[in-house]
C-alpha cells in the first residue's frame, strides 16, 4: 500500500531526513519511532501531502505521490494529529466538524454517516451539538479520529495520537484504533517516541535517529530484545516496563 524509497527531506540547507526507505503492506500497521528532531513527523507530513520539498520515491497503492496531491488523495489518506484540541475548529459543533469532510468530498446520506461514525468511535449522541471545549480530552481525540474516518480513507496517519492524553485514557484510544484498523481494513502509519506505545499497535517499526533509519524491527523482536542497534536498545530501556 505504501512504498518509500530513498526519501530525503530538507529545510533549506538542513537535511532533516536522509535516505529513508520502508514498505507497508495493505492492512498493515507501521511505526516510526525516535526522539524529537529525528525526522519522523516530517515523513508523516510528506505522506499526508502537506510537505512538497522532498526527494526520492513515494508511492501509495501503486501511484506515485505528487507534489500537489489531488482531492481524492486527501480523501484516501487522512491524518490524526497529536493535539485533539488544537486540530478541531473551536467555533464549530461536533456535528459540523464531522459533516464538513462529507460536504467537501460529495458524499450523500450525510446525517446517517455522521451517526454511524460516532457509534464506531463510541461517542455519545448527546455531544453532537457541543463544541470541542465542552468535551474531555479523550472525547476530543475520538472526534478527531471520527473526522479522519468519516470520508472512508484507506490509510490513516497517526501523529502521536495519545501523547496529549492522560495515561488512563491512552490505552482506550490505542485499543479503539486497533479495532478500527481490523474492522475497516485500514493501513496505519504511527509516529511516536515511546516504543511500547507504538509496539502495541504496529507489527513493524522503524527506528529513526537524526534523520536516518538506524534499524527496522518487528514488535515481536522488540518484546524479546532481539535488536542490534545501541540506540534502539536505549529507547527500549526507556519504555521497557510498558513493553512487557
Amino acid at each position: 500500500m505504501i512504498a518509500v524509497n530513498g526519501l530525503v527531506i530538507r529545510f533549506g540547507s538542513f537535511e532533516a531526513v536522509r535516505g529513508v526507505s520502508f514498505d507497508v503492506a495493505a492492512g498493515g500497521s507501521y511505526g516510526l519511532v525516535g526522539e524529537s528532531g529525528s525526522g519522523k513527523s516530517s515523513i508523516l507530513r510528506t505522506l499526508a501531502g502537506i510537505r512538497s520539498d522532498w526527494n526520492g520515491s513515494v508511492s501509495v497503492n501503486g501511484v506515485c505521490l505528487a507534489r500537489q496531491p489531488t482531492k481524492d488523495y486527501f480523501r484516501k489518506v487522512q491524518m490524526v494529529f497529536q493535539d485533539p484540541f488544537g486540530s478541531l475548529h473551536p467555533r464549530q459543533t461536533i456535528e459540523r466538524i464531522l459533516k464538513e469532510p462529507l460536504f467537501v468530498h460529495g458524499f450523500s446520506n450525510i446525517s446517517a454517516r455522521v451517526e454511524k461514525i460516532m457509534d464506531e468511535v463510541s461517542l455519545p449522541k448527546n455531544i453532537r451539538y457541543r463544541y470541542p471545549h465542552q468535551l474531555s480530552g479523550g472525547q476530543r481525540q475520538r472526534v478527531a479520529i471520527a473526522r479522519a474516518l468519516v470520508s472512508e480513507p484507506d490509510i490513516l496517519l497517526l501523529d502521536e495520537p495519545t501523547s496529549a492524553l492522560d495515561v488512563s485514557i491512552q490505552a482506550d484510544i490505542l485499543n479503539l484504533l486497533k479495532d478500527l484498523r481490523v474492522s475497516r481494513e485500514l493501513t496505519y502509519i504511527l509516529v511516536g517516541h515511546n516504543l511500547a506505545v507504538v509496539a502495541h499497535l504496529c507489527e513493524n517499526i522503524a527506528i529513526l535517529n537524526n534523520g536516518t533509519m538506524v534499524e527496522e524491527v518487528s514488535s515481536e523482536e522488540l518484546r524479546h530484545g532481539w535488536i542490534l542497534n545501541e540506540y534502539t536498545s536505549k529507547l527500549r530501556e526507556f519504555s521497557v516496563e510498558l513493553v512487557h
Side-chain angles (χ1 to χ4, degrees):
M1 179 62 77
I2 300 170
V4 175
N5 187 27
L7 180 62
V8 176
I9 303 173
R10 293 184 177 86
F11 295 90
S13 60
F14 174 68
E15 244 180 27
V17 175
R18 301 191 293 276
V20 168
S21 302
F22 61 88
D23 296 320
V24 188
S29 186
Y30 195 86
L32 301 172
V33 177
E35 297 173 291
S36 296
S38 63
K40 57 189 187 298
S41 292
S42 295
I43 295 171
L44 203 69
R45 281 162 169 72
T46 297
L47 289 169
I50 297 172
R51 300 201 60 84
S52 58
D53 52 344
W54 55 272
N55 292 295
S57 172
V58 179
S59 66
V60 175
N61 201 17
V63 179
C64 291
L65 175 62
R67 292 298 191 278
Q68 295 182 327
T70 63
K71 186 171 76 169
D72 189 55
Y73 181 86
F74 290 115
R75 185 191 70 77
K76 293 179 178 178
V77 180
Q78 283 286 316
M79 189 163 172
V80 177
F81 295 89
Q82 179 178 4
D83 179 11
F85 191 72
S87 67
L88 301 176
H89 197 302
R91 295 185 180 179
Q92 288 186 353
T93 64
I94 303 309
E95 181 185 61
R96 179 65 191 183
I97 288 169
L98 297 179
K99 280 184 173 182
E100 189 168 22
L102 298 172
F103 290 135
V104 169
H105 294 291
F107 281 85
S108 59
N109 302 319
I110 287 176
S111 291
R113 290 178 186 275
V114 168
E115 288 183 13
K116 182 176 182 292
I117 195 62
M118 288 183 70
D119 285 340
E120 282 190 71
V121 301
S122 301
L123 281 170
K125 290 182 173 58
N126 63 1
I127 71 159
R128 191 162 174 166
Y129 301 106
R130 294 182 188 176
Y131 293 88
H133 73 272
Q134 296 175 307
L135 307 184
S136 67
Q139 287 177 326
R140 284 195 291 265
Q141 194 60 300
R142 287 174 189 271
V143 171
I145 293 168
R147 179 183 60 182
L149 292 179
V150 75
S151 59
E152 301 179 3
D154 299 319
I155 296 169
L156 208 57
L157 307 175
L158 304 160
D159 189 4
E160 302 200 48
T162 63
S163 63
L165 304 175
D166 293 339
V167 174
S168 59
I169 302 170
Q170 288 184 12
D172 289 340
I173 297 298
L174 286 172
N175 288 329
L176 170 66
L177 288 167
K178 199 169 189 176
D179 292 342
L180 288 168
R181 181 167 72 93
V182 174
S183 64
R184 284 181 164 253
E185 300 180 342
L186 293 162
T187 302
Y188 281 1
I189 293 187
L190 171 64
V191 157
H193 63 274
N194 189 306
L195 269 173
V197 171
V198 177
H200 182 76
L201 199 63
C202 300
E203 297 104 352
N204 295 293
I205 303 162
I207 311 300
L208 299 170
N209 187 20
N210 292 324
T212 302
M213 184 190 295
V214 298
E215 189 169 8
E216 185 179 58
V217 296
S218 69
S219 57
E220 189 70 15
E221 289 169 334
L222 180 63
R223 290 188 184 95
H224 287 90
W226 300 334
I227 48 184
L228 301 175
N229 188 272
E230 183 180 352
Y231 180 72
T232 307
S233 297
K234 289 180 180 179
L235 288 179
R236 183 178 182 274
E237 287 173 10
F238 177 76
S239 57
V240 68
E241 291 183 6
L242 288 174
V243 172
H244 295 295

